[in-house]
Amino acid sequence: MSINEYSLDTIAVRGGQIRTHECEQSEPIFPTSSYVFETAAHAAARFSGEDPGNIYSRFTNPTVRTFEERLAAMEGGARCVATSSGMAAIMTTCYSLLEQGDHFVSSNAIFGSTVVLFNNYITKFGIDVSFVPLIDYDAWEAAITPKTKFLFLETPSNPLTEIVDIARLAEIAHRKNCLLVVDNCFCTPALQKPLEFGADIIIHSATKYIDGQGRCIGGAIVGDEEKVGETCYGFLRTAGPSMSPFNAWVFLKGLETLRIRMKAHSENALEIAQWLETQDAVERVNFPGLESHPQHLLAKQQQKDFGGVLSFVLKGGKNAAWSVIDNTRLLSITANLGDAKTTITHPATTTHCRLTDEARVKAGIDDGLVRIAAGLEDVDDIKNDLKIGLDKLGKN
Ligand SMILES: Cc1ncc(COP(=O)(O)O)c(C=O)c1O
């Protein structure tokens, strides 16, 4: 029985593992830069591709391969290419699929560094990008030109948690001969499998929930044999943004507990979001699990749960946002997410600070916006920590 025939929980624990002669129970780490050949002829056969196998760890590594096979199976893709970071996954996808004169369309509600990568680096080489609002389907369609190669998006978006209908956008993309690329970092395959809704390529920042404990930087691209296994892999093995074996091992361990962690993150986030909605100082809460969220029903259909990220706007703008953040005692003031430790950040002055004022307004990043990535602590402790700052605002 192939590993793909098992359910997600089984794939997450056992996918990709090939035991060595040592009969180890847990996956080994292979910290080696190169591999030894039996003879010169053997080396020549490896280099010519006649004998497929390891040559050099920029190309392949057994621990990294195990991670790639496990994640590919969890996403339902034929191939996965692991990268040194989430940004490296996005860069590799762009440089592999695009050439001079090409164009792509991106949601404007994406991670700040991705906007900077698109605007300042990818477009340096005669490639054009257009940005559209995530849930304006007419705008997506209107932005596509005969030169458009792919549409790029995150759902839920960061930090506003907007949800796009992946199947609807995949239909638009395919009708216009484009690919659909989805950054699935917020949901992970435990909550959402974009390939099942028609997406062609999945991007991951493994740094987030796949690691789950804020230790390592890594990324991945998942898709079919041709686009990912040949085109993206061809760029990666030459340009070199490859994942380290140690990081791959940490991510493998992360995958084993991913689904139960995502369930716990989602439960905590929902409770925090519902509680924040009752607070006087709070103008609006963004979380797909709330009935007040404009795409709540779509999130219910497309995702298994609502995820761990929420954001809220304080009536008092930036001062209020900074005050609530500075009054926390337990939460970590850091821009990372997907950690067992709850994190809190002010997107306008951190993750999105390199955007122009105009781009920030277009992306809906209010000065009073605070993002929380709910961790796995006791939810009452998290709420009490936020309450210190919120209560102080009420008294000003
Ligand atoms: C949605 C999303 N995609 C990609 C990235 C980039 O990932 P990395 O930091 O691993 O390069 C991030 C990082 O925060 C992110 O939130």
Side-chain angles (χ1 to χ4, degrees):
M1 182 162 167
S2 138
I3 191 71
N4 295 312
E5 294 168 52
Y6 288 98
S7 71
L8 187 93
D9 283 351
T10 308
I11 298 171
V13 173
R14 294 192 176 266
Q17 185 174 13
I18 301 172
R19 288 211 173 87
T20 73
H21 63 283
E22 301 288 358
C23 305
E24 67 281 349
Q25 156 76 335
S26 176
E27 299 77 359
I29 309 177
F30 285 89
T32 181
S33 344
S34 68
Y35 303 84
V36 177
F37 312 107
E38 283 158 30
T39 59
H42 184 212
R46 279 278 163 92
F47 273 81
S48 71
E50 190 189 313
D51 172 26
N54 297 313
I55 298 175
Y56 190 59
S57 278
R58 171 155 41 82
F59 312 159
T60 56
N61 174 280
T63 317
V64 176
R65 182 200 54 76
T66 308
F67 168 73
E68 290 173 335
E69 290 192 3
R70 190 169 294 181
L71 184 59
M74 288 175 75
E75 283 285 10
R79 277 295 294 271
C80 168
V81 166
T83 56
S84 55
S85 68
M87 292 314 301
I90 300 170
M91 176 195 70
T92 298
T93 303
C94 289
Y95 284 136
S96 304
L97 299 182
L98 298 167
E99 54 191 60
Q100 201 175 14
D102 282 347
H103 168 257
F104 65 104
V105 186
S106 171
S107 155
N108 61 19
I110 54 172
F111 177 50
S113 292
T114 312
V115 176
V116 176
L117 176 74
F118 290 167
N119 277 336
N120 297 9
Y121 297 99
I122 302 296
T123 47
K124 255 170 64 171
F125 302 101
I127 292 163
D128 273 340
V129 59
S130 309
F131 290 95
V132 295
L134 178 64
I135 53 174
D136 185 341
Y137 300 91
D138 292 339
W140 282 101
E141 188 148 357
I144 297 173
T145 75
K147 298 193 161 168
T148 308
K149 286 281 153 47
F150 62 74
L151 315 183
F152 181 95
L153 61 93
E154 292 170 21
T155 181
S157 68
N158 176 17
L160 299 182
T161 74
E162 282 180 319
I163 310 282
V164 78
D165 186 334
I166 299 173
R168 185 165 168 192
L169 217 49
E171 187 280 317
I172 294 173
H174 296 156
R175 183 159 39 80
K176 299 268 188 174
N177 288 324
C178 304
L179 302 175
L180 182 63
V181 182
V182 175
D183 183 330
N184 199 26
C185 161
F186 272 37
C187 272
T188 80
L191 301 189
Q192 171 175 278
K193 292 192 183 182
L195 297 178
E196 286 180 356
F197 295 103
D200 302 282
I201 292 184
I202 308 297
I203 299 287
H204 275 290
S205 166
T207 316
K208 307 294 178 317
Y209 290 104
I210 291 179
D211 175 320
Q213 291 172 56
R215 297 160 293 189
C216 293
I217 303 282
I221 310 163
V222 183
D224 68 13
E225 200 58 57
E226 185 202 332
K227 290 180 280 298
V228 175
E230 287 172 28
T231 311
C232 292
Y233 173 65
F235 174 86
L236 177 113
R237 61 173 274 155
T238 307
S242 319
M243 181 179 280
S244 84
F246 176 77
N247 288 9
W249 180 81
V250 172
F251 298 138
L252 270 172
K253 296 291 118 188
L255 289 178
E256 291 181 8
T257 56
L258 182 65
R259 196 189 57 79
I260 51 177
R261 284 188 288 106
M262 291 310 291
K263 185 169 183 283
H265 283 295
S266 301
E267 279 167 12
N268 273 2
L270 178 61
E271 193 167 330
I272 297 164
Q274 285 170 338
W275 171 77
L276 281 169
E277 266 196 327
T278 66
Q279 301 299 303
D280 288 342
V282 174
E283 187 178 294
R284 190 176 68 249
V285 183
N286 305 308
F287 184 65
L290 294 175
E291 281 175 19
S292 58
H293 189 286
Q295 293 99 39
H296 175 63
L297 290 179
L298 174 61
K300 263 176 125 169
Q301 289 159 14
Q302 197 166 265
Q303 301 177 199
K304 286 211 175 73
D305 212 330
F306 302 109
V309 178
L310 62 125
S311 60
F312 58 100
V313 179
L314 285 155
K315 290 175 186 159
K318 180 183 156 192
N319 287 347
W322 277 29
S323 173
V324 168
I325 292 171
D326 288 346
N327 275 291
T328 57
R329 296 289 168 264
L330 180 74
L331 307 196
S332 308
I333 306 174
T334 175
N336 198 23
L337 60 96
D339 195 318
K341 297 179 173 67
T342 299
T343 64
I344 186 164
T345 194
H346 182 238
T349 52
T350 60
T351 50
H352 291 67
C353 74
R354 285 161 76 206
L355 264 59
T356 60
D357 289 346
E358 194 197 339
R360 208 162 34 242
V361 170
K362 264 197 190 157
I365 311 297
D366 233 286
D367 280 348
L369 186 76
V370 174
R371 187 192 74 191
I372 290 180
L376 304 178
E377 304 97 333
D378 186 298
V379 72
D380 288 334
D381 290 333
I382 302 172
K383 287 193 286 185
N384 286 336
D385 210 42
L386 290 166
K387 194 170 179 311
I388 308 170
L390 289 173
D391 285 352
K392 283 193 182 158
L393 288 181
K395 294 196 181 96
N396 287 336

